[in-house]
Amino acid sequence: MPMSIIGLIVSFYLASLSDKWGKRKPFIIWALLIGTISRVPLAFTHSYTIALILLAIGGFNAFSFFFALLNDFIVKKQESKSQAGTITGTVRMAFSQGYIFGPMLGALIIDHGGYTLLFLLSGLLSLATLGWVLFALKEDSMPQTSAHASSKAPAGIPSVLIAVFVAALFIFAGDSGRSMYLPLYITDTLKQSVSIVGILFTVTSVFELVFMPLGGYFSDKIGVKRFFIIGIACQVLYFILTSLHLPLSGLIVLQVFYAFILSATMGVGMVYAQSLAPRQIGLATTAYMTAIQTSAVLAMGSLVSVIPLPSTFYILAVFAVISGVMFLFMKQKSAEEMS
């Protein structure tokens, strides 16, 4: 909680500052350094107060801000923006797989070496990444024709990015709601075993490895906004179909379908957010990613304890409709502004 609160406060400010400065590498280095400083001492402290302070410090390495910088830095190293969707989809795939395999590997480390070893390894991994950024990423290879090099980013947060944040909240509330309510729906309503829940979520994770880069590729072909809106429409369809008491085979197909939806909403969605504010790409990506941190609050308001569980998915479908309508009427910048 302390890390999330601090991260929510500082992410927008730091992203805006990086856009004004026009450089990314110093901010990536700073974020990694703060991450290392906050993790290693956790391996040795036995004080609850110190642990809270260290977690609060870690909030300055908020994942939404760090991901925005890293994603933008990699995209900007390309000679052409035509591969932005493919690159972002690939980076997002690696990011999501970290969230999938991280808890599994963390549990194995804790079982064999305890939390001390876990925090030490986490800090060392952050330190190793810092070394790679320092010596492998060359910021001077970024194209000098970028919007950052040609002009200063405007001050403040544009109203369109506030709308992006709100609209993205509804998308990710659907994803958070799926994580919260699908296991209950499968076990309590459909009377399936807990192991089935694990299988279904694993199916989505495995196929996400395929659909994330493919989603970026096809968005580059048919247009980012078009592919993104299709993904949101598919999210609406997914929640409606999920509520229909399908057999196990149908549920498996739906989880494969959801992997495609993630490629559009979480991967390509960031590229679309960037296209709405091309001179503030770091801030745009941070606005989109920060919505993930707060989406669970909106998802928890679906009143699952009051209404029948299957009906909860209709509420999540309505969330997706609201998001789709909002994004549909946002004006994308021209190709000249994006180049």
Side-chain angles (χ1 to χ4, degrees):
M1 183 62 73
M3 183 178 292
S4 298
I5 293 173
I6 297 294
L8 200 59
I9 293 172
V10 304
S11 288
F12 284 97
Y13 172 75
L14 293 175
S16 179
L17 186 62
S18 71
D19 282 327
K20 292 177 185 177
W21 193 6
K23 294 179 180 292
R24 294 291 184 259
K25 188 172 179 179
F27 285 86
I28 296 175
I29 292 171
W30 179 85
L32 285 169
L33 185 60
I34 291 295
T36 304
I37 292 173
S38 65
R39 289 171 186 167
V40 174
L42 280 172
F44 303 102
T45 184
H46 297 283
S47 169
Y48 178 73
T49 302
I50 293 177
L52 282 178
I53 293 173
L54 289 171
L55 288 172
I57 292 173
F60 286 91
N61 180 29
F63 86 93
S64 57
F65 168 66
F66 176 76
F67 185 82
L69 293 178
L70 184 59
N71 172 73
D72 183 40
F73 189 85
I74 293 175
V75 170
K76 280 292 186 295
K77 284 174 69 66
Q78 306 307 304
E79 293 299 326
S80 170
K81 291 288 291 182
S82 63
Q83 292 183 315
T86 304
I87 295 168
T88 301
T90 303
V91 174
R92 179 58 183 83
M93 176 192 69
F95 189 77
S96 62
Q97 294 306 310
Y99 265 85
I100 293 165
F101 293 106
M104 179 186 68
L105 294 175
L108 291 174
I109 294 171
I110 291 171
D111 285 341
H112 291 86
Y115 286 96
T116 298
L117 181 61
L118 175 67
F119 289 125
L120 277 176
L121 289 178
S122 178
L124 289 174
L125 181 61
S126 181
L127 188 61
T129 307
L130 174 61
W132 179 76
V133 171
L134 282 170
F135 299 106
L137 291 183
K138 305 296 184 183
E139 191 164 37
D140 57 3
S141 66
M142 294 169 66
Q144 295 302 310
T145 57
S146 70
H148 298 299
S150 60
S151 62
K152 292 290 185 180
I157 302 177
S159 58
V160 67
L161 292 188
I162 297 175
V164 164
F165 175 74
V166 174
L169 271 180
F170 286 101
I171 289 181
F172 295 129
D175 186 61
S176 296
R178 170 182 174 267
S179 300
M180 293 177 188
Y181 305 130
L182 187 60
L184 293 174
Y185 177 62
I186 292 171
T187 56
D188 295 354
T189 303
L190 301 183
K191 306 302 180 184
Q192 299 285 346
S193 67
V194 175
S195 61
I196 295 299
V197 176
I199 291 173
L200 292 177
F201 275 81
T202 300
V203 166
T204 301
S205 301
V206 170
F207 277 90
E208 191 179 350
L209 288 168
V210 177
F211 283 120
M212 274 293 176
L214 279 180
Y217 172 79
F218 284 113
S219 73
D220 291 334
K221 295 297 183 182
I222 70 173
V224 170
K225 181 175 182 178
R226 183 179 301 172
F227 189 84
F228 180 48
I229 297 299
I230 289 173
I232 297 177
C234 289
Q235 189 182 45
V236 176
L237 180 61
Y238 168 85
F239 288 127
I240 294 174
L241 293 175
T242 299
S243 67
L244 299 182
H245 296 77
L246 296 177
L248 181 59
S249 58
L251 289 174
I252 292 175
V253 172
L254 277 182
Q255 303 323 302
V256 175
F257 184 48
Y258 198 75
F260 162 77
I261 294 169
L262 289 176
S263 74
T265 57
M266 288 193 172
V268 175
M270 283 185 294
V271 180
Y272 181 56
Q274 293 169 352
S275 73
L276 296 171
R279 293 174 60 197
Q280 292 176 288
I281 286 181
L283 186 59
T285 313
T286 296
Y288 195 78
M289 291 298 294
T290 303
I292 297 178
Q293 292 176 294
T294 51
S295 63
V297 177
L298 187 60
M300 290 169 64
S302 8
L303 302 177
V304 68
S305 60
V306 179
I307 63 177
L309 190 55
S311 299
T312 301
F313 294 104
Y314 288 105
I315 296 177
L316 300 181
V318 171
F319 285 168
V321 170
I322 294 172
S323 176
V325 171
M326 290 184 67
F327 276 117
L328 189 61
F329 288 98
M330 293 182 194
K331 292 183 179 180
Q332 193 172 8
K333 300 296 183 181
S334 65
E336 289 77 14
E337 290 178 288
M338 285 293 292
S339 62

